[in-house]
């Protein structure tokens, strides 16, 4: 998706300065990520990029306060512009820092929900452009670090929601075991009914919990239910490379 902006029902995302553009992964995570309704939630979006997921969480949860952190200063600046021009600017803030830096600053047990569309090409060749490498590869934030810091920063009933390629399932399961967290929900995502799932939406809890397994195909009824509050007539195609 090469356009400089993408318009949703209630906000517009400018992305010309961001290494990673608006795509299906981030939009699905923003629409699916678990957070309790009806309470004043404190939510953290790790690696916010354009600010899309942070803004989506604010739209979904009218009383929530959302912080998006982004290590790339150029992307963080554009995310702040996107937040400022959105209807949710009073409840969303952007900070240019790493998750590790933010954890030291914010302290323990401060968030009700954490969301992250993490870098995932841990075994592939890095991109020649350093900002895109940073956004796509686990060079600055490994799954284990993500899980361990999330567990420390979540309140007792807090959750971490992520989206990963199905090929990364084993690595994520290992990180979950090391961190001592528990899988609460899983949703496999297909681009068509005849294809195998390419993505996994996952929600982890700090405490033992019941497990719910879901499935979704891009364009099906469940997908429409999740994304209709956000998409206008134009819909994303599967940006799942």
């Amino acid at each position: 998706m090469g356009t400089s902006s993408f318009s949703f029902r209630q906000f517009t995302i400018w992305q010309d300065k961001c290494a990673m553009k608006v795509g299906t992964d981030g939009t699905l995570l923003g629409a699916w990520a678990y957070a309790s309704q009806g309470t004043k939630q404190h939510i953290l979006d790790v690696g916010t990029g354009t600010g899309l997921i942070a803004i989506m969480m604010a739209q979904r949860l009218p009383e929530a306060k959302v912080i998006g952190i982004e290590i790339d200063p150029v992307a963080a600046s554009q995310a702040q512009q996107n937040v400022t021009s959105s209807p949710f600017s009073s409840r969303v803030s952007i900070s240019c820092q790493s998750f590790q830096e933010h954890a030291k600053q914010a302290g323990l047990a401060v968030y009700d929900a954490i969301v992250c569309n993490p870098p995932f090409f841990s075994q592939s060749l890095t991109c020649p452009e350093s900002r895109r490498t940073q956004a796509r590869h686990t060079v600055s934030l490994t799954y284990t670090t993500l899980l361990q810091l999330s567990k420390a920063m979540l309140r007792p009933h807090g959750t971490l929601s992520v989206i990963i390629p199905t090929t990364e399932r084993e690595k994520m399961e290992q990180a979950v075991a090391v961190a001592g967290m528990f899988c609460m929900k899983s949703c496999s995502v297909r681009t068509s009914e005849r294809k195998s799932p390419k993505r996994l939406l996952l929600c982890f809890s700090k405490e033992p919990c019941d497990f719910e397994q879901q499935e979704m195909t891009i364009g099906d009824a469940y997908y429409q239910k999740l994304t209709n509050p956000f998409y206008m007539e134009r819909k994303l195609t599967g940006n799942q490379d």
Side-chain angles (χ1 to χ4, degrees):
M1 183 166 301
T3 58
S4 60
S5 67
F6 191 92
S7 294
F8 292 84
R9 288 185 184 270
Q10 297 191 36
F11 57 88
T12 296
I13 296 294
W14 291 88
Q15 56 184 2
D16 55 295
K17 299 177 183 177
C18 294
M20 297 304 295
K21 312 302 182 185
V22 172
T24 303
D25 285 6
T27 310
L28 278 179
L29 180 60
W32 182 88
Y34 179 81
S36 299
Q37 295 281 345
T39 56
K40 294 182 178 180
Q41 300 283 291
H42 287 82
I43 298 172
L44 177 67
D45 176 22
V46 178
T48 196
T50 62
L52 170 63
I53 295 173
I55 296 172
M56 291 180 71
M57 297 301 289
Q59 178 180 329
R60 287 178 53 198
L61 300 161
E63 297 184 3
K65 295 283 189 180
V66 187
I67 296 175
I69 57 172
E70 172 56 51
I71 196 171
D72 178 358
V74 178
S77 177
Q78 185 150 66
Q80 183 60 65
Q81 293 171 0
N82 289 330
V83 167
T84 300
S85 63
S86 79
F88 316 107
S89 57
S90 64
R91 297 188 290 109
V92 183
S93 60
I94 302 295
S95 178
C96 182
Q97 57 184 174
S98 69
F99 194 17
Q100 294 89 333
E101 292 168 335
H102 185 73
K104 292 178 181 179
Q105 175 184 309
L108 303 177
V110 290
Y111 291 109
D112 300 287
I114 296 175
V115 292
C116 182
N117 181 5
F120 50 71
F121 291 117
S122 55
Q123 299 300 321
S124 61
L125 294 175
T126 57
C127 308
E129 202 270 299
S130 61
R131 291 177 61 225
R132 190 167 173 83
T133 293
Q134 182 172 267
R136 293 171 66 91
H137 296 259
T138 56
V139 293
S140 58
L141 181 63
T142 65
Y143 290 156
T144 299
T145 299
L146 171 65
L147 269 292
Q148 290 177 331
L149 291 180
S150 294
K151 183 178 182 181
M153 300 188 75
L154 286 168
R155 291 172 176 163
H157 298 287
T159 57
L160 166 67
S161 297
V162 302
I163 184 168
I164 61 169
T166 53
T167 54
E168 295 286 299
R169 181 200 293 264
E170 184 176 348
K171 296 184 184 68
M172 181 60 75
E173 289 176 346
Q174 292 171 352
V176 172
V178 170
M181 294 188 75
F182 304 89
C183 193
M184 178 178 173
K185 288 202 306 179
S186 170
C187 182
S188 58
V189 183
R190 303 172 185 266
T191 55
S192 72
E193 292 184 358
R194 289 179 290 182
K195 293 183 178 180
S196 299
K198 293 190 67 176
R199 294 289 188 265
L200 281 174
L201 288 156
L202 298 166
C203 178
F204 304 108
S205 172
K206 288 185 67 169
E207 300 178 339
C209 55
D210 294 332
F211 174 67
E212 179 183 359
Q213 189 166 5
Q214 303 171 325
E215 293 184 356
M216 180 196 314
T217 300
I218 300 298
D220 69 10
Y222 184 40
Y223 170 88
Q224 296 288 346
K225 179 181 178 181
L226 286 176
T227 60
N228 278 349
F230 302 99
Y231 284 148
M232 299 172 66
E233 292 184 2
R234 176 178 54 168
K235 291 182 174 62
L236 294 175
T237 56
N239 179 19
Q240 301 186 355
D241 45 20

